[in-house]
Amino acid sequence: MRILIVEDEIKVARFIENGLRENAYTTKWAKNCVEANDYLAEGGYDLIILDLGLPDGDGLDLLRDWRTCGFNEPVLILSARDSLDDRVKGLNIGADDYLPKPFSFTELLARARSQLRRSSQVRQSVLEYRGIKMDLLAHTVSYGDRSIDLTNREFALLEILLQNKGRVLTRTQIGEKIWDAHYDMQSNLIDVYVRKLRNMFPEHKDPPLIKTLRGVGYSIP
Ligand code: CA
């Protein structure tokens, strides 16, 4: 599951990102309104964590614009503005939850999960393919009766391939989604992960679970 973090303070953003990644979520960090709009327009986010005091605008205006334009992703406001008035305003504009700063990560995680649970009742939270069952909320993968242990990155890779079934994803697209800006496009890490995933499902040798398109990328056909 992918979470967009809109936050201008690098320390806070890193703290949230690290915590969420440890819990197997994929994150993207936007440090201002312009970036937030760009990333949201790319689509594919399951939750947005939104700060209000941003260097190039107000998070509430951003949220109002999103809702007017039909972006329905769940939004959790995380802000130092914590008066009753602020909270009511945020919720009225279209936020789904409001957590005042300072916050505990445990509470943020619990609230994020509750939003993801609600939205996944609308969206698909279990992906199934050729006997593989992937539960995005419980973070479990099974094949028949066998449960399969995946690391966070392996899980994220399988998830984006299954969610884009039938489409070819380039190595750049995969790298950006899973490693964010930290991925070195020269490295062969993605190939290593693809090989590891294939080996976990020996039943799917022919045709292979993940198809390689030489010089282009990968797909689950
Ligand atoms: Ca701020």
PDB file of all heavy atoms in Angstrom, residues 168-206:
ATOM      1  N   VAL A 168       3.308  -3.700 -18.821  1.00  0.00           N
ATOM      2  CA  VAL A 168       4.748  -3.818 -18.621  1.00  0.00           C
ATOM      3  C   VAL A 168       5.211  -2.643 -17.769  1.00  0.00           C
ATOM      4  O   VAL A 168       4.873  -1.497 -18.047  1.00  0.00           O
ATOM      5  CB  VAL A 168       5.495  -3.793 -19.969  1.00  0.00           C
ATOM      6  CG1 VAL A 168       6.998  -3.864 -19.738  1.00  0.00           C
ATOM      7  CG2 VAL A 168       5.038  -4.943 -20.837  1.00  0.00           C
ATOM      8  N   LEU A 169       5.950  -2.939 -16.714  1.00  0.00           N
ATOM      9  CA  LEU A 169       6.515  -1.876 -15.889  1.00  0.00           C
ATOM     10  C   LEU A 169       8.003  -1.786 -16.184  1.00  0.00           C
ATOM     11  O   LEU A 169       8.704  -2.807 -16.176  1.00  0.00           O
ATOM     12  CB  LEU A 169       6.302  -2.170 -14.402  1.00  0.00           C
ATOM     13  CG  LEU A 169       4.855  -2.185 -13.922  1.00  0.00           C
ATOM     14  CD1 LEU A 169       4.796  -2.573 -12.452  1.00  0.00           C
ATOM     15  CD2 LEU A 169       4.203  -0.816 -14.103  1.00  0.00           C
ATOM     16  N   THR A 170       8.455  -0.580 -16.455  1.00  0.00           N
ATOM     17  CA  THR A 170       9.885  -0.436 -16.723  1.00  0.00           C
ATOM     18  C   THR A 170      10.653  -0.513 -15.408  1.00  0.00           C
ATOM     19  O   THR A 170      10.081  -0.330 -14.332  1.00  0.00           O
ATOM     20  CB  THR A 170      10.201   0.916 -17.391  1.00  0.00           C
ATOM     21  OG1 THR A 170       9.888   1.944 -16.450  1.00  0.00           O
ATOM     22  CG2 THR A 170       9.387   1.114 -18.649  1.00  0.00           C
ATOM     23  N   ARG A 171      11.953  -0.759 -15.529  1.00  0.00           N
ATOM     24  CA  ARG A 171      12.769  -0.822 -14.316  1.00  0.00           C
ATOM     25  C   ARG A 171      12.738   0.510 -13.580  1.00  0.00           C
ATOM     26  O   ARG A 171      12.783   0.551 -12.353  1.00  0.00           O
ATOM     27  CB  ARG A 171      14.199  -1.205 -14.675  1.00  0.00           C
ATOM     28  CG  ARG A 171      14.277  -2.630 -15.256  1.00  0.00           C
ATOM     29  CD  ARG A 171      15.566  -2.805 -16.007  1.00  0.00           C
ATOM     30  NE  ARG A 171      16.656  -2.284 -15.195  1.00  0.00           N
ATOM     31  CZ  ARG A 171      17.548  -3.024 -14.578  1.00  0.00           C
ATOM     32  NH1 ARG A 171      17.510  -4.312 -14.706  1.00  0.00           N
ATOM     33  NH2 ARG A 171      18.490  -2.472 -13.867  1.00  0.00           N
ATOM     34  N   THR A 172      12.674   1.601 -14.324  1.00  0.00           N
ATOM     35  CA  THR A 172      12.606   2.917 -13.687  1.00  0.00           C
ATOM     36  C   THR A 172      11.317   3.059 -12.884  1.00  0.00           C
ATOM     37  O   THR A 172      11.331   3.515 -11.739  1.00  0.00           O
ATOM     38  CB  THR A 172      12.672   4.036 -14.749  1.00  0.00           C
ATOM     39  OG1 THR A 172      13.748   3.750 -15.623  1.00  0.00           O
ATOM     40  CG2 THR A 172      12.849   5.391 -14.114  1.00  0.00           C
ATOM     41  N   GLN A 173      10.199   2.650 -13.482  1.00  0.00           N
ATOM     42  CA  GLN A 173       8.923   2.748 -12.754  1.00  0.00           C
ATOM     43  C   GLN A 173       8.957   1.912 -11.478  1.00  0.00           C
ATOM     44  O   GLN A 173       8.529   2.369 -10.416  1.00  0.00           O
ATOM     45  CB  GLN A 173       7.768   2.258 -13.641  1.00  0.00           C
ATOM     46  CG  GLN A 173       7.368   3.243 -14.714  1.00  0.00           C
ATOM     47  CD  GLN A 173       6.380   2.629 -15.703  1.00  0.00           C
ATOM     48  OE1 GLN A 173       6.447   1.444 -16.025  1.00  0.00           O
ATOM     49  NE2 GLN A 173       5.460   3.445 -16.184  1.00  0.00           N
ATOM     50  N   ILE A 174       9.486   0.706 -11.599  1.00  0.00           N
ATOM     51  CA  ILE A 174       9.551  -0.162 -10.422  1.00  0.00           C
ATOM     52  C   ILE A 174      10.490   0.450  -9.376  1.00  0.00           C
ATOM     53  O   ILE A 174      10.153   0.559  -8.202  1.00  0.00           O
ATOM     54  CB  ILE A 174      10.032  -1.581 -10.804  1.00  0.00           C
ATOM     55  CG1 ILE A 174       8.999  -2.241 -11.727  1.00  0.00           C
ATOM     56  CG2 ILE A 174      10.272  -2.424  -9.563  1.00  0.00           C
ATOM     57  CD1 ILE A 174       9.442  -3.576 -12.315  1.00  0.00           C
ATOM     58  N   GLY A 175      11.655   0.899  -9.827  1.00  0.00           N
ATOM     59  CA  GLY A 175      12.636   1.489  -8.913  1.00  0.00           C
ATOM     60  C   GLY A 175      12.074   2.680  -8.163  1.00  0.00           C
ATOM     61  O   GLY A 175      12.219   2.798  -6.954  1.00  0.00           O
ATOM     62  N   GLU A 176      11.382   3.545  -8.894  1.00  0.00           N
ATOM     63  CA  GLU A 176      10.834   4.749  -8.259  1.00  0.00           C
ATOM     64  C   GLU A 176       9.740   4.421  -7.260  1.00  0.00           C
ATOM     65  O   GLU A 176       9.617   5.060  -6.228  1.00  0.00           O
ATOM     66  CB  GLU A 176      10.271   5.691  -9.323  1.00  0.00           C
ATOM     67  CG  GLU A 176      11.344   6.498 -10.010  1.00  0.00           C
ATOM     68  CD  GLU A 176      10.800   7.366 -11.118  1.00  0.00           C
ATOM     69  OE1 GLU A 176       9.578   7.319 -11.373  1.00  0.00           O
ATOM     70  OE2 GLU A 176      11.603   8.076 -11.735  1.00  0.00           O
ATOM     71  N   LYS A 177       8.933   3.408  -7.600  1.00  0.00           N
ATOM     72  CA  LYS A 177       7.829   3.078  -6.696  1.00  0.00           C
ATOM     73  C   LYS A 177       8.318   2.409  -5.421  1.00  0.00           C
ATOM     74  O   LYS A 177       7.784   2.638  -4.349  1.00  0.00           O
ATOM     75  CB  LYS A 177       6.820   2.176  -7.404  1.00  0.00           C
ATOM     76  CG  LYS A 177       5.998   2.974  -8.403  1.00  0.00           C
ATOM     77  CD  LYS A 177       4.638   2.351  -8.627  1.00  0.00           C
ATOM     78  CE  LYS A 177       3.711   3.317  -9.323  1.00  0.00           C
ATOM     79  NZ  LYS A 177       3.273   2.905 -10.642  1.00  0.00           N
ATOM     80  N   ILE A 178       9.324   1.555  -5.563  1.00  0.00           N
ATOM     81  CA  ILE A 178       9.727   0.778  -4.394  1.00  0.00           C
ATOM     82  C   ILE A 178      10.861   1.420  -3.612  1.00  0.00           C
ATOM     83  O   ILE A 178      10.903   1.370  -2.402  1.00  0.00           O
ATOM     84  CB  ILE A 178      10.103  -0.656  -4.809  1.00  0.00           C
ATOM     85  CG1 ILE A 178       8.880  -1.296  -5.456  1.00  0.00           C
ATOM     86  CG2 ILE A 178      10.548  -1.466  -3.616  1.00  0.00           C
ATOM     87  CD1 ILE A 178       9.097  -2.700  -5.895  1.00  0.00           C
ATOM     88  N   TRP A 179      11.796   2.041  -4.338  1.00  0.00           N
ATOM     89  CA  TRP A 179      12.945   2.621  -3.637  1.00  0.00           C
ATOM     90  C   TRP A 179      12.882   4.146  -3.586  1.00  0.00           C
ATOM     91  O   TRP A 179      13.742   4.790  -3.065  1.00  0.00           O
ATOM     92  CB  TRP A 179      14.252   2.198  -4.296  1.00  0.00           C
ATOM     93  CG  TRP A 179      14.668   0.826  -3.929  1.00  0.00           C
ATOM     94  CD1 TRP A 179      15.461   0.487  -2.865  1.00  0.00           C
ATOM     95  CD2 TRP A 179      14.354  -0.399  -4.602  1.00  0.00           C
ATOM     96  NE1 TRP A 179      15.646  -0.869  -2.845  1.00  0.00           N
ATOM     97  CE2 TRP A 179      14.978  -1.439  -3.888  1.00  0.00           C
ATOM     98  CE3 TRP A 179      13.601  -0.705  -5.713  1.00  0.00           C
ATOM     99  CZ2 TRP A 179      14.867  -2.770  -4.266  1.00  0.00           C
ATOM    100  CZ3 TRP A 179      13.494  -2.045  -6.093  1.00  0.00           C
ATOM    101  CH2 TRP A 179      14.115  -3.053  -5.370  1.00  0.00           C
ATOM    102  N   ASP A 180      11.829   4.702  -4.196  1.00  0.00           N
ATOM    103  CA  ASP A 180      11.684   6.147  -4.240  1.00  0.00           C
ATOM    104  C   ASP A 180      12.889   6.740  -4.960  1.00  0.00           C
ATOM    105  O   ASP A 180      13.366   6.185  -5.936  1.00  0.00           O
ATOM    106  CB  ASP A 180      11.557   6.700  -2.822  1.00  0.00           C
ATOM    107  CG  ASP A 180      10.872   8.058  -2.818  1.00  0.00           C
ATOM    108  OD1 ASP A 180      10.565   8.553  -3.908  1.00  0.00           O
ATOM    109  OD2 ASP A 180      10.660   8.614  -1.747  1.00  0.00           O
ATOM    110  N   ALA A 181      13.423   7.848  -4.462  1.00  0.00           N
ATOM    111  CA  ALA A 181      14.526   8.488  -5.180  1.00  0.00           C
ATOM    112  C   ALA A 181      15.863   7.833  -4.835  1.00  0.00           C
ATOM    113  O   ALA A 181      16.895   8.174  -5.389  1.00  0.00           O
ATOM    114  CB  ALA A 181      14.563   9.963  -4.843  1.00  0.00           C
ATOM    115  N   HIS A 182      15.798   6.866  -3.892  1.00  0.00           N
ATOM    116  CA  HIS A 182      17.052   6.294  -3.407  1.00  0.00           C
ATOM    117  C   HIS A 182      17.590   5.187  -4.316  1.00  0.00           C
ATOM    118  O   HIS A 182      18.636   4.633  -4.054  1.00  0.00           O
ATOM    119  CB  HIS A 182      16.886   5.721  -1.996  1.00  0.00           C
ATOM    120  CG  HIS A 182      16.150   6.644  -1.091  1.00  0.00           C
ATOM    121  ND1 HIS A 182      16.618   7.889  -0.766  1.00  0.00           N
ATOM    122  CD2 HIS A 182      14.961   6.525  -0.464  1.00  0.00           C
ATOM    123  CE1 HIS A 182      15.755   8.491   0.026  1.00  0.00           C
ATOM    124  NE2 HIS A 182      14.734   7.699   0.219  1.00  0.00           N
ATOM    125  N   TYR A 183      16.833   4.848  -5.357  1.00  0.00           N
ATOM    126  CA  TYR A 183      17.250   3.727  -6.178  1.00  0.00           C
ATOM    127  C   TYR A 183      18.274   4.142  -7.227  1.00  0.00           C
ATOM    128  O   TYR A 183      18.095   5.116  -7.943  1.00  0.00           O
ATOM    129  CB  TYR A 183      16.044   3.090  -6.868  1.00  0.00           C
ATOM    130  CG  TYR A 183      16.412   1.839  -7.622  1.00  0.00           C
ATOM    131  CD1 TYR A 183      16.822   0.705  -6.938  1.00  0.00           C
ATOM    132  CD2 TYR A 183      16.382   1.802  -9.017  1.00  0.00           C
ATOM    133  CE1 TYR A 183      17.183  -0.447  -7.613  1.00  0.00           C
ATOM    134  CE2 TYR A 183      16.740   0.646  -9.701  1.00  0.00           C
ATOM    135  CZ  TYR A 183      17.140  -0.479  -8.994  1.00  0.00           C
ATOM    136  OH  TYR A 183      17.495  -1.607  -9.662  1.00  0.00           O
ATOM    137  N   ASP A 184      19.361   3.376  -7.288  1.00  0.00           N
ATOM    138  CA  ASP A 184      20.386   3.623  -8.287  1.00  0.00           C
ATOM    139  C   ASP A 184      20.038   2.809  -9.532  1.00  0.00           C
ATOM    140  O   ASP A 184      20.062   1.588  -9.510  1.00  0.00           O
ATOM    141  CB  ASP A 184      21.741   3.189  -7.700  1.00  0.00           C
ATOM    142  CG  ASP A 184      22.837   3.208  -8.764  1.00  0.00           C
ATOM    143  OD1 ASP A 184      22.585   3.699  -9.882  1.00  0.00           O
ATOM    144  OD2 ASP A 184      23.943   2.717  -8.457  1.00  0.00           O
ATOM    145  N   MET A 185      19.670   3.508 -10.603  1.00  0.00           N
ATOM    146  CA  MET A 185      19.171   2.832 -11.794  1.00  0.00           C
ATOM    147  C   MET A 185      20.226   1.928 -12.449  1.00  0.00           C
ATOM    148  O   MET A 185      19.908   1.086 -13.266  1.00  0.00           O
ATOM    149  CB  MET A 185      18.659   3.845 -12.814  1.00  0.00           C
ATOM    150  CG  MET A 185      17.402   4.551 -12.347  1.00  0.00           C
ATOM    151  SD  MET A 185      16.054   3.401 -11.991  1.00  0.00           S
ATOM    152  CE  MET A 185      14.987   4.453 -11.012  1.00  0.00           C
ATOM    153  N   GLN A 186      21.490   2.141 -12.086  1.00  0.00           N
ATOM    154  CA  GLN A 186      22.540   1.318 -12.669  1.00  0.00           C
ATOM    155  C   GLN A 186      22.612  -0.048 -11.987  1.00  0.00           C
ATOM    156  O   GLN A 186      23.185  -0.989 -12.519  1.00  0.00           O
ATOM    157  CB  GLN A 186      23.917   2.005 -12.522  1.00  0.00           C
ATOM    158  CG  GLN A 186      23.990   3.395 -13.122  1.00  0.00           C
ATOM    159  CD  GLN A 186      23.547   3.426 -14.571  1.00  0.00           C
ATOM    160  OE1 GLN A 186      23.957   2.594 -15.363  1.00  0.00           O
ATOM    161  NE2 GLN A 186      22.669   4.365 -14.916  1.00  0.00           N
ATOM    162  N   SER A 187      22.071  -0.132 -10.808  1.00  0.00           N
ATOM    163  CA  SER A 187      22.224  -1.385 -10.070  1.00  0.00           C
ATOM    164  C   SER A 187      21.292  -2.452 -10.633  1.00  0.00           C
ATOM    165  O   SER A 187      20.353  -2.161 -11.362  1.00  0.00           O
ATOM    166  CB  SER A 187      21.921  -1.172  -8.587  1.00  0.00           C
ATOM    167  OG  SER A 187      20.559  -1.387  -8.340  1.00  0.00           O
ATOM    168  N   ASN A 188      21.565  -3.696 -10.273  1.00  0.00           N
ATOM    169  CA  ASN A 188      20.715  -4.769 -10.795  1.00  0.00           C
ATOM    170  C   ASN A 188      19.806  -5.327  -9.704  1.00  0.00           C
ATOM    171  O   ASN A 188      19.351  -6.457  -9.773  1.00  0.00           O
ATOM    172  CB  ASN A 188      21.569  -5.877 -11.414  1.00  0.00           C
ATOM    173  CG  ASN A 188      22.413  -6.564 -10.346  1.00  0.00           C
ATOM    174  OD1 ASN A 188      22.556  -6.041  -9.240  1.00  0.00           O
ATOM    175  ND2 ASN A 188      22.938  -7.737 -10.652  1.00  0.00           N
ATOM    176  N   LEU A 189      19.551  -4.480  -8.687  1.00  0.00           N
ATOM    177  CA  LEU A 189      18.745  -4.933  -7.550  1.00  0.00           C
ATOM    178  C   LEU A 189      17.386  -5.476  -7.953  1.00  0.00           C
ATOM    179  O   LEU A 189      16.934  -6.496  -7.444  1.00  0.00           O
ATOM    180  CB  LEU A 189      18.532  -3.756  -6.594  1.00  0.00           C
ATOM    181  CG  LEU A 189      19.392  -3.718  -5.347  1.00  0.00           C
ATOM    182  CD1 LEU A 189      18.990  -2.553  -4.470  1.00  0.00           C
ATOM    183  CD2 LEU A 189      19.215  -5.025  -4.561  1.00  0.00           C
ATOM    184  N   ILE A 190      16.728  -4.780  -8.889  1.00  0.00           N
ATOM    185  CA  ILE A 190      15.390  -5.219  -9.283  1.00  0.00           C
ATOM    186  C   ILE A 190      15.442  -6.631  -9.842  1.00  0.00           C
ATOM    187  O   ILE A 190      14.618  -7.474  -9.507  1.00  0.00           O
ATOM    188  CB  ILE A 190      14.768  -4.251 -10.313  1.00  0.00           C
ATOM    189  CG1 ILE A 190      14.486  -2.903  -9.631  1.00  0.00           C
ATOM    190  CG2 ILE A 190      13.473  -4.817 -10.891  1.00  0.00           C
ATOM    191  CD1 ILE A 190      13.970  -1.841 -10.560  1.00  0.00           C
ATOM    192  N   ASP A 191      16.466  -6.891 -10.672  1.00  0.00           N
ATOM    193  CA  ASP A 191      16.603  -8.226 -11.260  1.00  0.00           C
ATOM    194  C   ASP A 191      16.796  -9.280 -10.174  1.00  0.00           C
ATOM    195  O   ASP A 191      16.264 -10.382 -10.252  1.00  0.00           O
ATOM    196  CB  ASP A 191      17.797  -8.250 -12.221  1.00  0.00           C
ATOM    197  CG  ASP A 191      17.779  -7.045 -13.141  1.00  0.00           C
ATOM    198  OD1 ASP A 191      18.134  -5.927 -12.682  1.00  0.00           O
ATOM    199  OD2 ASP A 191      17.384  -7.190 -14.285  1.00  0.00           O
ATOM    200  N   VAL A 192      17.566  -8.894  -9.147  1.00  0.00           N
ATOM    201  CA  VAL A 192      17.795  -9.821  -8.040  1.00  0.00           C
ATOM    202  C   VAL A 192      16.466 -10.137  -7.344  1.00  0.00           C
ATOM    203  O   VAL A 192      16.147 -11.300  -7.076  1.00  0.00           O
ATOM    204  CB  VAL A 192      18.792  -9.209  -7.020  1.00  0.00           C
ATOM    205  CG1 VAL A 192      18.899 -10.076  -5.778  1.00  0.00           C
ATOM    206  CG2 VAL A 192      20.164  -9.030  -7.664  1.00  0.00           C
ATOM    207  N   TYR A 193      15.674  -9.095  -7.100  1.00  0.00           N
ATOM    208  CA  TYR A 193      14.378  -9.293  -6.431  1.00  0.00           C
ATOM    209  C   TYR A 193      13.415 -10.106  -7.286  1.00  0.00           C
ATOM    210  O   TYR A 193      12.676 -10.944  -6.779  1.00  0.00           O
ATOM    211  CB  TYR A 193      13.765  -7.952  -6.047  1.00  0.00           C
ATOM    212  CG  TYR A 193      14.306  -7.436  -4.743  1.00  0.00           C
ATOM    213  CD1 TYR A 193      15.397  -6.585  -4.705  1.00  0.00           C
ATOM    214  CD2 TYR A 193      13.731  -7.832  -3.540  1.00  0.00           C
ATOM    215  CE1 TYR A 193      15.917  -6.131  -3.514  1.00  0.00           C
ATOM    216  CE2 TYR A 193      14.237  -7.390  -2.336  1.00  0.00           C
ATOM    217  CZ  TYR A 193      15.329  -6.536  -2.327  1.00  0.00           C
ATOM    218  OH  TYR A 193      15.834  -6.103  -1.131  1.00  0.00           O
ATOM    219  N   VAL A 194      13.425  -9.844  -8.586  1.00  0.00           N
ATOM    220  CA  VAL A 194      12.542 -10.594  -9.478  1.00  0.00           C
ATOM    221  C   VAL A 194      12.911 -12.075  -9.427  1.00  0.00           C
ATOM    222  O   VAL A 194      12.057 -12.952  -9.321  1.00  0.00           O
ATOM    223  CB  VAL A 194      12.630 -10.049 -10.925  1.00  0.00           C
ATOM    224  CG1 VAL A 194      11.994 -11.020 -11.910  1.00  0.00           C
ATOM    225  CG2 VAL A 194      11.945  -8.692 -11.021  1.00  0.00           C
ATOM    226  N   ARG A 195      14.223 -12.358  -9.454  1.00  0.00           N
ATOM    227  CA  ARG A 195      14.675 -13.741  -9.406  1.00  0.00           C
ATOM    228  C   ARG A 195      14.258 -14.407  -8.101  1.00  0.00           C
ATOM    229  O   ARG A 195      13.781 -15.542  -8.084  1.00  0.00           O
ATOM    230  CB  ARG A 195      16.206 -13.770  -9.557  1.00  0.00           C
ATOM    231  CG  ARG A 195      16.674 -15.027 -10.228  1.00  0.00           C
ATOM    232  CD  ARG A 195      18.096 -14.958 -10.784  1.00  0.00           C
ATOM    233  NE  ARG A 195      19.019 -14.145 -10.034  1.00  0.00           N
ATOM    234  CZ  ARG A 195      19.659 -13.086 -10.552  1.00  0.00           C
ATOM    235  NH1 ARG A 195      19.448 -12.726 -11.795  1.00  0.00           N
ATOM    236  NH2 ARG A 195      20.511 -12.394  -9.829  1.00  0.00           N
ATOM    237  N   LYS A 196      14.383 -13.650  -6.997  1.00  0.00           N
ATOM    238  CA  LYS A 196      13.996 -14.205  -5.700  1.00  0.00           C
ATOM    239  C   LYS A 196      12.508 -14.538  -5.682  1.00  0.00           C
ATOM    240  O   LYS A 196      12.098 -15.591  -5.202  1.00  0.00           O
ATOM    241  CB  LYS A 196      14.337 -13.221  -4.582  1.00  0.00           C
ATOM    242  CG  LYS A 196      15.813 -13.226  -4.233  1.00  0.00           C
ATOM    243  CD  LYS A 196      16.169 -12.124  -3.280  1.00  0.00           C
ATOM    244  CE  LYS A 196      15.817 -12.436  -1.830  1.00  0.00           C
ATOM    245  NZ  LYS A 196      16.156 -11.285  -0.963  1.00  0.00           N
ATOM    246  N   LEU A 197      11.710 -13.633  -6.221  1.00  0.00           N
ATOM    247  CA  LEU A 197      10.261 -13.882  -6.241  1.00  0.00           C
ATOM    248  C   LEU A 197       9.925 -15.108  -7.078  1.00  0.00           C
ATOM    249  O   LEU A 197       9.110 -15.940  -6.691  1.00  0.00           O
ATOM    250  CB  LEU A 197       9.516 -12.672  -6.812  1.00  0.00           C
ATOM    251  CG  LEU A 197       9.157 -11.545  -5.845  1.00  0.00           C
ATOM    252  CD1 LEU A 197       8.349 -10.486  -6.567  1.00  0.00           C
ATOM    253  CD2 LEU A 197       8.370 -12.069  -4.644  1.00  0.00           C
ATOM    254  N   ARG A 198      10.559 -15.206  -8.243  1.00  0.00           N
ATOM    255  CA  ARG A 198      10.290 -16.360  -9.107  1.00  0.00           C
ATOM    256  C   ARG A 198      10.610 -17.658  -8.374  1.00  0.00           C
ATOM    257  O   ARG A 198       9.869 -18.627  -8.451  1.00  0.00           O
ATOM    258  CB  ARG A 198      11.146 -16.286 -10.363  1.00  0.00           C
ATOM    259  CG  ARG A 198      10.604 -15.322 -11.398  1.00  0.00           C
ATOM    260  CD  ARG A 198      11.345 -15.562 -12.716  1.00  0.00           C
ATOM    261  NE  ARG A 198      11.001 -14.584 -13.711  1.00  0.00           N
ATOM    262  CZ  ARG A 198      11.881 -13.830 -14.367  1.00  0.00           C
ATOM    263  NH1 ARG A 198      13.176 -13.952 -14.096  1.00  0.00           N
ATOM    264  NH2 ARG A 198      11.471 -12.982 -15.270  1.00  0.00           N
ATOM    265  N   ASN A 199      11.749 -17.658  -7.653  1.00  0.00           N
ATOM    266  CA  ASN A 199      12.164 -18.870  -6.949  1.00  0.00           C
ATOM    267  C   ASN A 199      11.208 -19.261  -5.826  1.00  0.00           C
ATOM    268  O   ASN A 199      11.165 -20.407  -5.409  1.00  0.00           O
ATOM    269  CB  ASN A 199      13.581 -18.701  -6.384  1.00  0.00           C
ATOM    270  CG  ASN A 199      14.608 -18.650  -7.500  1.00  0.00           C
ATOM    271  OD1 ASN A 199      14.342 -19.109  -8.612  1.00  0.00           O
ATOM    272  ND2 ASN A 199      15.765 -18.062  -7.218  1.00  0.00           N
ATOM    273  N   MET A 200      10.456 -18.280  -5.332  1.00  0.00           N
ATOM    274  CA  MET A 200       9.526 -18.592  -4.253  1.00  0.00           C
ATOM    275  C   MET A 200       8.286 -19.315  -4.758  1.00  0.00           C
ATOM    276  O   MET A 200       7.514 -19.851  -3.978  1.00  0.00           O
ATOM    277  CB  MET A 200       9.105 -17.315  -3.551  1.00  0.00           C
ATOM    278  CG  MET A 200      10.174 -16.809  -2.634  1.00  0.00           C
ATOM    279  SD  MET A 200       9.648 -15.286  -1.922  1.00  0.00           S
ATOM    280  CE  MET A 200      11.213 -14.674  -1.376  1.00  0.00           C
ATOM    281  N   PHE A 201       8.054 -19.225  -6.059  1.00  0.00           N
ATOM    282  CA  PHE A 201       6.888 -19.900  -6.628  1.00  0.00           C
ATOM    283  C   PHE A 201       7.350 -20.871  -7.717  1.00  0.00           C
ATOM    284  O   PHE A 201       7.101 -20.655  -8.903  1.00  0.00           O
ATOM    285  CB  PHE A 201       5.901 -18.881  -7.205  1.00  0.00           C
ATOM    286  CG  PHE A 201       5.416 -17.894  -6.193  1.00  0.00           C
ATOM    287  CD1 PHE A 201       6.022 -16.644  -6.068  1.00  0.00           C
ATOM    288  CD2 PHE A 201       4.361 -18.220  -5.346  1.00  0.00           C
ATOM    289  CE1 PHE A 201       5.575 -15.733  -5.114  1.00  0.00           C
ATOM    290  CE2 PHE A 201       3.923 -17.320  -4.390  1.00  0.00           C
ATOM    291  CZ  PHE A 201       4.526 -16.073  -4.271  1.00  0.00           C
ATOM    292  N   PRO A 202       8.029 -21.950  -7.304  1.00  0.00           N
ATOM    293  CA  PRO A 202       8.581 -22.886  -8.292  1.00  0.00           C
ATOM    294  C   PRO A 202       7.482 -23.523  -9.151  1.00  0.00           C
ATOM    295  O   PRO A 202       7.754 -23.996 -10.253  1.00  0.00           O
ATOM    296  CB  PRO A 202       9.297 -23.931  -7.427  1.00  0.00           C
ATOM    297  CG  PRO A 202       8.768 -23.771  -6.058  1.00  0.00           C
ATOM    298  CD  PRO A 202       8.307 -22.366  -5.927  1.00  0.00           C
ATOM    299  N   GLU A 203       6.239 -23.497  -8.644  1.00  0.00           N
ATOM    300  CA  GLU A 203       5.126 -24.076  -9.409  1.00  0.00           C
ATOM    301  C   GLU A 203       4.900 -23.313 -10.708  1.00  0.00           C
ATOM    302  O   GLU A 203       4.328 -23.827 -11.659  1.00  0.00           O
ATOM    303  CB  GLU A 203       3.831 -24.016  -8.578  1.00  0.00           C
ATOM    304  CG  GLU A 203       3.881 -24.801  -7.271  1.00  0.00           C
ATOM    305  CD  GLU A 203       4.483 -23.998  -6.112  1.00  0.00           C
ATOM    306  OE1 GLU A 203       4.980 -22.879  -6.351  1.00  0.00           O
ATOM    307  OE2 GLU A 203       4.456 -24.511  -4.970  1.00  0.00           O
ATOM    308  N   HIS A 204       5.328 -22.061 -10.715  1.00  0.00           N
ATOM    309  CA  HIS A 204       5.083 -21.224 -11.891  1.00  0.00           C
ATOM    310  C   HIS A 204       6.325 -21.074 -12.753  1.00  0.00           C
ATOM    311  O   HIS A 204       6.777 -19.977 -13.004  1.00  0.00           O
ATOM    312  CB  HIS A 204       4.595 -19.833 -11.468  1.00  0.00           C
ATOM    313  CG  HIS A 204       3.239 -19.860 -10.869  1.00  0.00           C
ATOM    314  ND1 HIS A 204       2.177 -20.468 -11.476  1.00  0.00           N
ATOM    315  CD2 HIS A 204       2.760 -19.362  -9.705  1.00  0.00           C
ATOM    316  CE1 HIS A 204       1.098 -20.352 -10.713  1.00  0.00           C
ATOM    317  NE2 HIS A 204       1.427 -19.691  -9.632  1.00  0.00           N
ATOM    318  N   LYS A 205       6.865 -22.201 -13.166  1.00  0.00           N
ATOM    319  CA  LYS A 205       8.069 -22.135 -13.988  1.00  0.00           C
ATOM    320  C   LYS A 205       7.725 -21.869 -15.445  1.00  0.00           C
ATOM    321  O   LYS A 205       8.378 -21.092 -16.131  1.00  0.00           O
ATOM    322  CB  LYS A 205       8.835 -23.463 -13.865  1.00  0.00           C
ATOM    323  CG  LYS A 205       9.986 -23.361 -12.869  1.00  0.00           C
ATOM    324  CD  LYS A 205      11.223 -24.086 -13.400  1.00  0.00           C
ATOM    325  CE  LYS A 205      12.486 -23.592 -12.752  1.00  0.00           C
ATOM    326  NZ  LYS A 205      12.662 -24.056 -11.388  1.00  0.00           N
ATOM    327  N   ASP A 206       6.648 -22.511 -15.900  1.00  0.00           N
ATOM    328  CA  ASP A 206       6.343 -22.444 -17.320  1.00  0.00           C
ATOM    329  C   ASP A 206       4.852 -22.284 -17.548  1.00  0.00           C
ATOM    330  O   ASP A 206       4.104 -23.220 -17.331  1.00  0.00           O
ATOM    331  CB  ASP A 206       6.854 -23.741 -17.978  1.00  0.00           C
ATOM    332  CG  ASP A 206       6.928 -23.575 -19.482  1.00  0.00           C
ATOM    333  OD1 ASP A 206       6.981 -22.419 -19.935  1.00  0.00           O
ATOM    334  OD2 ASP A 206       6.926 -24.599 -20.181  1.00  0.00           O
TER     335      ASP A 206
END
